[in-house]
């Protein structure tokens, strides 16, 4: 494989919860019948998927765009924790047989807004959930939508001259609400996004 890049809170939780509920309910009625919201799901996409051979490891870089719809942004601003999941598969296609799988990884990125401190905290599973805290919403969204320097395989695991494929997708996986707000999850389900699978084919 060529070493160059392969491209393709309030002090009263109950009061805060009810404020969150009415705010989200307001957004629901403002947007009209919820089935229209499903159109946003088609807008999210992985726009930059890169695989690099560096220092005897294969690293993945990717960027997702269109994930933060106005409704998801409003949910974040109202204090609802939002989680994006990323799925990455490295495999070797085989004729007449299932692909040989080298790696199958699920990652999660979660964003939480603290209304008292006016800060956003992003945690990413592949970084050991170390908190990234910022007052800049745009910076927090970039953290949610980007992956860089993620090791997906060791070079010694690869076979020279063999064909491989890297596949990746992203989706909104969670909107975690207090127990007394779970009955509005039906509405929030229409705000979900899920990208198509994106892939890179290469010969090592």
């Amino acid at each position: 494989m060529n070493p160059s890049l392969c491209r393709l809170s309030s002090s009263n939780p109950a009061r805060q919860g009810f404020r969150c509920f009415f705010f989200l309910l307001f957004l629901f009625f403002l947007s009209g019948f919820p089935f229209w919201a499903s159109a946003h799901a088609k807008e999210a996409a992985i726009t930059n998927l890169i695989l690099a051979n560096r220092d005897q490891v294969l690293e993945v870089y990717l960027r997702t765009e269109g994930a933060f719809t106005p409704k998801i942004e409003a949910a974040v601003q109202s204090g609802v924790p939002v989680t994006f999941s990323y799925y990455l598969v490295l495999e070797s296609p085989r004729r007449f047989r299932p692909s040989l799988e080298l790696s199958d990884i699920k990652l999660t990125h979660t964003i939480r807004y603290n209304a008292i401190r006016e800060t956003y905290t992003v945690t990413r599973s592949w970084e050991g959930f170390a908190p990234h805290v910022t007052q800049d919403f745009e910076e927090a969204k970039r953290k949610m939508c980007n992956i860089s320097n993620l090791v997906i395989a060791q070079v010694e695991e690869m076979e020279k001259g063999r064909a491989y494929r890297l596949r990746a997708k992203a989706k909104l996986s969670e909107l975690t609400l207090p127990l007394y707000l779970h009955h509005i999850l039906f509405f929030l389900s229409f705000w979900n996004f899920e990208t198509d699978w994106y892939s890179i084919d290469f010969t090592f």
Side-chain angles (χ1 to χ4, degrees):
M1 176 181 176
N2 192 310
S4 62
L5 299 182
C6 295
R7 290 185 178 270
L8 164 145
S9 111
S10 167
S11 58
N12 187 330
R15 178 178 299 177
Q16 184 182 17
F18 283 117
R19 289 177 60 189
C20 173
F21 166 71
F22 285 115
F23 181 66
L24 293 174
L25 197 61
F26 168 75
L27 287 176
F28 166 71
F29 286 111
L30 186 65
S31 64
F33 196 67
F35 285 104
W36 290 103
S38 63
H40 289 302
K42 298 180 181 179
E43 298 176 3
I46 293 176
T47 58
N48 201 24
L49 179 60
I50 300 173
L51 183 65
N53 179 356
R54 299 182 188 277
D55 299 324
Q56 299 303 304
V57 297
L58 293 183
E59 294 181 344
V60 175
Y61 302 74
L62 69 79
R63 181 172 64 248
T64 303
E65 294 185 358
F68 277 94
T69 65
K71 293 175 183 177
I72 293 178
E73 289 191 1
V76 172
Q77 299 287 15
S78 67
V80 176
V82 172
T83 297
F84 294 170
S85 291
Y86 294 89
Y87 303 86
L88 298 108
V89 178
L90 180 63
E91 59 191 7
S92 178
R94 298 184 294 186
R95 295 186 63 184
F96 310 119
R97 289 185 295 170
S99 296
L100 178 64
E101 194 172 274
L102 280 75
S103 296
D104 185 354
I105 301 174
K106 176 185 176 181
L107 311 174
T108 58
H109 293 183
T110 300
I111 183 171
R112 295 176 175 86
Y113 178 60
N114 187 315
I116 295 177
R117 298 182 179 179
E118 297 184 344
T119 58
Y120 303 89
T121 299
V122 176
T123 55
R124 307 196 287 188
S125 61
W126 53 285
E127 296 178 325
F129 299 99
H132 299 270
V133 182
T134 178
Q135 291 185 314
D136 186 343
F137 192 24
E138 293 303 315
E139 178 184 347
K141 289 193 291 184
R142 286 193 294 273
K143 285 287 186 182
M144 287 288 291
C145 295
N146 286 272
I147 294 173
S148 60
N149 301 106
L150 174 70
V151 175
I152 196 167
Q154 303 289 325
V155 168
E156 63 184 19
E157 301 173 348
M158 314 293 288
E159 183 179 330
K160 190 172 180 63
R162 186 165 193 154
Y164 292 94
R165 175 178 297 131
L166 171 67
R167 298 190 293 124
K169 72 181 297 184
K171 66 179 293 186
L172 174 67
S173 63
E174 290 182 26
L175 285 174
T176 305
L177 300 177
L179 289 176
Y180 45 82
L181 296 183
H182 280 184
H183 57 289
I184 68 170
L185 281 175
F186 171 78
F187 302 130
L188 296 180
S189 66
F190 290 103
W191 305 1
N192 290 353
F193 78 82
E194 182 171 351
T195 71
D196 294 329
W197 281 100
Y198 293 79
S199 63
I200 295 175
D201 292 280
F202 63 97
T203 301
F204 190 76

